[in-house]
Amino acid sequence: MMANIKNQADLSIKIGSAKDLGLFIQQFRSSQKITQADISGLANTGNRFIVELENGKETVQLKKVLDVLNTLGLEMIIQRKGGN
């Protein structure tokens, strides 16, 4: 499902599950050469949270997910299925 993250200016990905989101965050974080410990400190979460998020745990706290995305310079956009 995931493609290598190369051109980040055109970054757009369809997320259909917690596993998809976790894999995307892990690949993006790695592409930026940021460790799990780095992102947990910057996003003010525990390292265990980052591990669980990247492993696709379905019950992670949304606020913390948004904090991690924000720390990575990403944002979540919701649109109708099939939209551009």
Side-chain angles (χ1 to χ4, degrees), residues 3-64:
N4 279 340
I5 299 170
K6 293 180 182 173
N7 186 357
Q8 295 173 8
D10 296 328
L11 188 64
S12 178
I13 190 79
K14 179 180 175 183
I15 302 294
S17 68
K19 192 75 170 169
D20 290 345
L21 179 61
L23 182 58
F24 171 77
I25 288 172
Q26 187 275 326
Q27 288 183 348
F28 186 84
R29 177 188 56 73
S30 293
S31 77
Q32 300 300 297
K33 311 270 191 272
I34 301 171
T35 67
Q36 287 180 330
D38 291 338
I39 200 66
S40 67
L42 292 169
N44 199 28
T45 68
N47 194 64
R48 180 177 175 175
F49 175 81
I50 301 301
V51 171
E52 291 174 345
L53 173 61
E54 290 185 357
N55 284 328
K57 183 177 179 184
E58 294 181 348
T59 58
V60 293
Q61 293 179 31
L62 180 59
K63 169 72 169 102
K64 289 183 180 182

